[in-house]
Amino acid sequence: MVMFYPRKAEQGAGFDYQLARLIALADDMKEIRAGVPPERLAADPPILERWMLANRPAPCLAGLSFGHPLLPGAARPVATSDLCLIADDHSWARTLSRWYRLGRPADSPLGDS
């Protein structure tokens, strides 16, 4: 899930909906960590039969990293964790693990801008 958000305006109902979903997930994770069993957290959950683990692509950012706290080096090629938020002016992005300040996009001309 990626959400574009306006930097100078109210975020709106879609933003609030996704925020509530993420807060609910974080709350459940806290409860599990505290030893609360899923049976007490889930009200009338659906059953998934013949299930399997699967993978699906998730949006992320790729580029050259500068000043990453865990991946040292300048201009280090990286792919981020799942992209969650990106400013509508493309100045900031929030991945699952951290905020990034965004510089020039890959398709911009090189030079002093």
Side-chain angles (χ1 to χ4, degrees):
M1 171 223 31
V2 176
M3 292 197 65
F4 283 87
Y5 70 96
R7 294 221 348 151
K8 298 178 180 158
E10 187 174 318
Q11 282 72 42
F15 189 93
D16 292 341
Y17 172 74
Q18 293 299 341
L19 176 60
R21 288 179 64 190
L22 292 170
I23 288 171
L25 171 62
D27 288 346
D28 283 349
M29 291 175 72
K30 288 177 186 175
E31 294 291 325
I32 292 291
R33 186 177 198 188
V36 177
E39 298 83 38
R40 287 194 24 214
L41 299 174
D44 197 25
I47 296 172
L48 188 61
E49 293 284 355
R50 298 180 49 88
W51 66 273
M52 68 181 83
L53 293 178
N55 291 309
R56 60 181 172 81
C60 67
L61 295 172
L64 302 177
S65 176
F66 294 83
H68 193 287
L70 301 176
L71 304 171
R76 179 184 178 139
V78 301
T80 68
S81 58
D82 295 3
L83 181 61
C84 298
L85 294 170
I86 188 165
D88 58 359
D89 65 0
H90 298 165
S91 58
W92 287 89
R94 177 63 160 93
T95 67
L96 193 55
S97 57
R98 74 187 70 260
W99 281 99
Y100 286 88
R101 288 178 299 155
L102 300 179
R104 288 186 301 259
D107 60 358
S108 72
L110 295 176
D112 297 328
S113 56

